[in-house]
Amino acid sequence: MQPYLQYIVLLGAVVIVGAFVMPRKKQEHSLPSQSMQNMETALEQFMENMEKDNEELVQLVRDAQQETKVDAERQEQRIAELERKCEQLAEQLQMARSATATITLQTASPQPLSIDAGKSEAAFAKLPEPVEEEAPRANTIHSRYAELFSLYEQGKSIEMISKKLGMNKGEVQLIIQLAKQEEAAHA
């Protein structure tokens, strides 16, 4: 009987050792589920942070779009204002030209003809010479914006001219355009 008893004791010892080992395996299995929960929690937090960041980016894009829209409206208003000023300047230029032409015609109008040929030649000699348009040209766009036209004739870009002179590009373009119109009118 003794060998059976040894087998039973040995079998009991194996069962006891197995019982101690089994809970350890369960703890080892519970550790991965714990780490899985930690990973899921971390992923959820990461996703929440990403959503917040995305919302902030969307808001920044909206703000940038709004600012761009406001800037575009301001630029459109500025362009409309410059076009109005251009029209006013063109009208003033036309009025100045017509006034100059009227003055020129008045000063160049002939004196009443007299019957005496000698007197008419003397009167013709006394007629003032036609007034050259030098007086209005003294106050031309070229003279008022000499530096601008100097840079333009050197081949500088409108953008560079506007930066150097502290003017808007639209103003530089407008001045150049008015100068071309003025030259065409005097040609």
Side-chain angles (χ1 to χ4, degrees), residues 30-47:
S30 68
L31 284 178
S33 66
Q34 180 81 20
S35 65
M36 289 294 284
Q37 288 176 347
N38 289 341
M39 285 177 39
E40 288 175 358
T41 305
L43 283 173
E44 287 175 7
Q45 288 176 347
F46 177 74
M47 292 302 290

Side-chain angles (χ1 to χ4, degrees), residues 41-132:
T41 305
L43 283 173
E44 287 175 7
Q45 288 176 347
F46 177 74
M47 292 302 290
E48 288 175 9
N49 290 338
M50 289 297 289
E51 286 179 21
K52 288 179 184 176
D53 290 344
N54 285 342
E55 289 174 6
E56 289 175 5
L57 286 173
V58 167
Q59 187 61 37
L60 285 173
V61 168
R62 282 187 195 138
D63 293 344
Q65 287 175 340
Q66 186 67 22
E67 288 176 14
T68 303
K69 185 178 179 180
V70 169
D71 287 342
E73 290 173 358
R74 284 184 195 150
Q75 288 176 350
E76 287 178 15
Q77 290 174 350
R78 179 75 173 150
I79 289 170
E81 181 182 327
L82 288 173
E83 286 175 348
R84 249 184 293 113
K85 286 182 180 180
C86 180
E87 289 173 3
Q88 289 174 349
L89 288 173
E91 289 174 7
Q92 289 175 356
L93 180 62
Q94 187 63 30
M95 289 172 48
R97 284 182 186 158
S98 64
T100 303
T102 304
I103 292 171
T104 303
L105 288 175
Q106 288 175 353
T107 57
S109 66
Q111 299 292 329
L113 293 176
S114 64
I115 300 174
D116 187 12
K119 288 182 180 178
S120 65
E121 287 178 9
F124 184 72
K126 290 181 181 178
L127 283 178
E129 292 293 319
V131 178
E132 295 290 326

Side-chain angles (χ1 to χ4, degrees), residues 113-171:
L113 293 176
S114 64
I115 300 174
D116 187 12
K119 288 182 180 178
S120 65
E121 287 178 9
F124 184 72
K126 290 181 181 178
L127 283 178
E129 292 293 319
V131 178
E132 295 290 326
E133 291 192 30
E134 291 301 318
R137 282 189 174 250
N139 196 15
T140 62
I141 292 176
H142 276 280
S143 64
R144 285 183 278 169
Y145 298 100
E147 187 177 2
L148 183 145
F149 287 104
S150 172
L151 293 171
Y152 185 71
E153 289 167 3
Q154 292 174 9
K156 304 296 183 188
S157 69
I158 291 175
E159 186 173 317
M160 197 287 294
I161 293 170
S162 66
K163 285 182 182 177
K164 183 162 185 156
L165 299 178
M167 300 171 80
N168 290 329
K169 289 192 294 187
E171 288 175 300

Side-chain angles (χ1 to χ4, degrees), residues 9-38:
V9 171
L10 255 167
L11 185 62
V14 168
V15 170
I16 292 174
V17 169
F20 283 121
V21 171
M22 289 297 254
R24 286 185 188 164
K25 284 185 180 179
K26 285 183 182 179
Q27 286 177 351
E28 288 175 5
H29 287 297
S30 68
L31 284 178
S33 66
Q34 180 81 20
S35 65
M36 289 294 284
Q37 288 176 347
N38 289 341

